[in-house]
Amino acid sequence: MTTYVIVGGGLAGAKTAEALRERDGDARVVLISAEAHLPYERPALSKGFLAGKESQEDFTVHESSWYQENLIEVRSGTFADAIDPATRTVTLSDGSAVAYDQLALATGSRPRGLGVPGVQRPGVVTLRTIEEAAGLREVLGKGKRLVVIGGGWIGLEVAASARELGAEVTILEGSEHVLLKALGASIGDRFAELHRSHGVDVRTGISLDAIEGEGTSGAVTGVRLKDGETIPADAVLLAVGALPRVELAAAAGLDVDNGLVVDDTLRTSDSHIVAVGDIAHAEHPTLGHRVRVEHWANAQAQADIAAATMVGDEAHYDALPYFFTDQYDLGMEFRGERPDDERVIQRGSDSEHILFWLDAEDIVRAAMNVNVWDAGDDIEALLASGQPIDAERLADPTVSLSSLIDS
């Protein structure tokens, strides 16, 4: 009997297990998860779950009966300590070992640390697990003070959820703009203004001195800036990015560079091992370079490719990067990759619009629809066309998007 082993109990691991069972109904499938919970989707941790609108059951990928019915062995609360590619075995934290014919690594990412005094104080948290989200929710509420360090997606989403709970929120961003890497300065500034309009104190270009608290190791009471000001805080969220968990792969001798290096079938430097999700630094046939995407949709899109490769089917990863966010009354989806020589075109009003990023040849390379939910297929067709687009017609809402592409 063929044995497929998956290391990683997040969305990528669960969906890979699902795809493997669909492609091979007779194989043994083993899912190794460090968390005690069944695999769940993480976007809710900064949105619906943190705001008290969703329960864990709402974003658990499959209930326990599904794994039983599909004969998926789930080893929860178990770490993979080592991989031996020569014998094709994974040694586990409980002292056991499991042999594999094909192995999928879906170990995800971990929050970046912050090198300032006081980060170990109680009340200074990151957001990666459901326990962390539940703990943060317990200390938020009307009149509580949250300081968010980092102006990326997680920081902004948590800020929005915290405001819904009635907390006072300050965002501290080291660069001059929030979401600078994701969206650029001008569009990032729109999100900063969105938060300011909801009462968030958004500060950019900030340098930190220390996280203060009671005594040398007591609970957090505030964040001290380099200019000497201290911002009071009942809780501090560190949201300064994430790093791929590649230690296990590196120790096994696999090629690692900004993640686990894979081709467009998600095969690693070992022919019996694939990578999926946050850790996969994959060749992309359309974009022409490697990409590593730390978003929910990537885990969804790559899982079936990884499973196909494991069972010997032909499949290639060519999905464009995609992510979404919900903050206050704003919902948006982003597709594609911003070009270096970008020009941004807006189609529609400030409250409901689509932004397009064009390169020097007027080819649409990325798009973001804000509170517009019926244009996804047309946007994807524009991105896939690779054709120069008339910018004036693109900006005109009376011109259909489908008519902009030469048939």
Side-chain angles (χ1 to χ4, degrees):
M1 177 186 294
T2 301
T3 298
Y4 302 116
V5 174
I6 304 159
V7 176
L11 175 63
K15 297 304 284 187
T16 300
E18 179 182 337
L20 282 169
R21 179 54 73 222
E22 290 175 352
R23 289 179 176 272
D24 190 336
D26 299 321
R28 181 188 181 200
V29 179
V30 182
L31 176 63
I32 299 165
S33 174
E35 292 194 63
H37 310 282
L38 290 173
Y40 56 88
E41 302 181 18
R42 299 190 193 277
L45 300 185
S46 57
K47 303 183 184 74
F49 180 75
L50 183 61
K53 298 176 180 178
E54 293 182 76
S55 66
Q56 183 174 348
E57 290 74 19
D58 293 329
F59 51 91
T60 295
V61 182
H62 296 296
E63 58 187 20
S64 59
S65 61
W66 181 90
Y67 294 97
Q68 296 167 4
E69 292 166 2
N70 287 276
L71 302 180
I72 308 292
E73 300 176 33
V74 181
R75 302 196 181 183
S76 299
T78 305
F79 291 85
D81 283 341
I83 301 167
D84 185 343
T87 60
R88 296 184 207 161
T89 57
V90 180
T91 302
L92 306 180
S93 57
D94 61 6
S96 66
V98 58
Y100 64 84
D101 293 290
Q102 292 286 323
L103 173 66
L105 296 179
T107 47
S109 55
R110 67 177 186 277
R112 285 182 182 271
L114 187 65
V116 298
V119 293
Q120 300 302 322
R121 291 184 181 277
V124 180
V125 300
T126 56
L127 187 64
R128 184 65 187 174
T129 68
I130 193 166
E131 288 85 1
E132 291 172 327
L136 182 58
R137 186 172 64 185
E138 286 181 3
V139 300
L140 296 179
K142 189 172 181 60
K144 295 295 185 177
R145 299 163 301 184
L146 172 67
V147 173
V148 177
I149 300 176
W153 292 116
I154 295 296
L156 296 188
E157 289 174 355
V158 169
S161 296
R163 286 298 292 149
E164 288 187 43
L165 293 170
E168 299 176 12
V169 181
T170 301
I171 296 174
L172 303 177
E173 167 58 40
S175 72
E176 295 298 327
H177 309 272
V178 302
L179 299 175
L180 180 61
K181 184 177 179 181
L183 299 179
S186 63
I187 308 305
D189 288 348
R190 296 188 187 186
F191 277 84
E193 289 307 312
L194 171 69
H195 281 267
R196 291 187 178 112
S197 72
H198 284 82
V200 178
D201 182 5
V202 181
R203 306 191 191 189
T204 58
I206 296 298
S207 295
L208 306 180
D209 191 39
I211 297 175
E212 298 184 332
E214 302 169 357
T216 58
S217 59
V220 63
T221 58
V223 178
R224 188 172 72 244
L225 309 182
K226 286 290 187 182
D227 63 8
E229 179 186 1
T230 295
I231 302 172
D234 298 297
V236 174
L237 173 70
L238 304 182
V240 292
L243 295 170
R245 294 182 181 273
V246 294
E247 296 82 0
L248 186 68
L254 303 179
D255 289 348
V256 171
D257 178 17
N258 183 32
L260 189 47
V261 176
V262 296
D263 61 18
D264 66 355
T265 72
L266 304 184
R267 183 78 71 189
T268 70
S269 53
D270 185 303
S271 62
H272 297 279
I273 304 175
V274 301
V276 59
D278 290 6
I279 63 169
H281 193 196
E283 292 179 1
H284 198 288
T286 303
L287 298 176
H289 56 81
R290 293 189 179 276
V291 296
R292 188 175 68 82
V293 181
E294 298 172 351
H295 292 290
W296 167 90
N298 189 57
Q300 292 268 18
Q302 287 189 342
D304 191 55
I305 306 299
T309 299
M310 293 172 78
V311 304
D313 293 340
E314 185 78 10
H316 301 271
Y317 169 66
D318 59 2
L320 288 175
Y322 168 95
F323 62 87
F324 72 95
T325 191
D326 296 300
Q327 299 172 36
Y328 310 110
D329 56 355
L330 181 149
M332 79 83 173
E333 299 173 302
F334 183 98
R335 295 172 172 85
E337 186 177 75
R338 292 169 48 224
D340 293 333
D341 49 358
E342 65 185 32
R343 178 165 60 125
V344 182
I345 301 297
Q346 179 168 324
R347 177 189 181 94
S349 66
D350 287 342
S351 60
E352 297 181 4
H353 60 268
I354 307 173
L355 296 173
F356 296 95
W357 280 261
L358 280 63
D359 65 14
E361 299 176 345
D362 287 339
I363 298 173
V364 178
R365 298 300 185 185
M368 182 174 78
N369 47 298
V370 176
N371 293 339
V372 175
W373 305 114
D374 59 354
D377 291 343
D378 287 334
I379 291 171
E380 290 180 2
L382 277 172
L383 291 168
S385 72
Q387 298 177 8
I389 302 297
D390 185 313
E392 289 188 10
R393 297 182 67 211
L394 182 64
D396 186 348
T398 67
V399 177
S400 70
L401 293 176
S402 60
S403 71
L404 299 173
I405 303 173
D406 295 334
S407 57

